[in-house]
Amino acid sequence: QVQLVESGGGLVQAGASLRLSCVASARIFSTNAMGWFRQAPGKEREFVAAITRSGAGTYYADSVKGRFTISRDNAKNTVYLQMNNLKPEDTAVYCCAAGMTPNAIKSDLLVSWGQGTQVTVSS
C-alpha cells in the first residue's frame, strides 16, 4: 500500500506561495517524526525540513529558513510545508518522509517516503 501521498505542487511565478500536504498512514504518522526532501534534475537529494512527533520542534535547511514552515496535524495524519517567497532555485520534486527522529531524517535514515509532487518556480 501507498503509505505517504503528497499533493499541492504546481507551477508558480517567483515570489508566490504554495502549501504542500502529505497524508500518511496512521501507523507511520503516529510513531514517527516527519519531514520533506527535494530533488532537482542533476542535483543530489536535499533535506528541506523536519518536525518532531509532537510538533514541538522544527528543523530547516539554511536555504529555506525564514521562507518555509513545516507543521503537522496529528488528528488528520497530515504534514504540511508552507512555502513562501518561492524562488526559481526551489524548483524540484518534493517528497514527504518519515523517520524515527528529525536528526534521523536529516541523516537520510528514513522509515518511509512518498513519490513526490512537482514544484516549478518560473522567473
Side-chain angles (χ1 to χ4, degrees), residues 54-78:
S54 70
T58 57
Y59 305 83
Y60 299 94
D62 288 343
S63 59
V64 306
K65 284 181 179 177
R67 299 189 298 121
F68 291 11
T69 302
I70 188 170
S71 61
R72 65 190 292 163
D73 186 336
N74 290 347
K76 296 181 178 179
N77 295 326
T78 301

Side-chain angles (χ1 to χ4, degrees), residues 46-96:
E46 177 186 19
F47 168 78
V48 176
I51 187 167
T52 60
R53 188 188 304 176
S54 70
T58 57
Y59 305 83
Y60 299 94
D62 288 343
S63 59
V64 306
K65 284 181 179 177
R67 299 189 298 121
F68 291 11
T69 302
I70 188 170
S71 61
R72 65 190 292 163
D73 186 336
N74 290 347
K76 296 181 178 179
N77 295 326
T78 301
V79 62
Y80 304 96
L81 186 67
Q82 177 67 44
M83 305 185 294
N84 296 328
N85 191 25
L86 283 162
K87 303 176 179 180
E89 52 263 44
D90 295 319
T91 296
V93 174
Y94 284 70
C95 295
C96 179

Side-chain angles (χ1 to χ4, degrees), residues 8-14 16-18 86 91 118-123:
L11 172 62
V12 299
Q13 292 187 327
S17 297
L18 284 173
L86 283 162
T91 296
Q118 176 71 48
V119 172
T120 302
V121 184
S122 65
S123 59

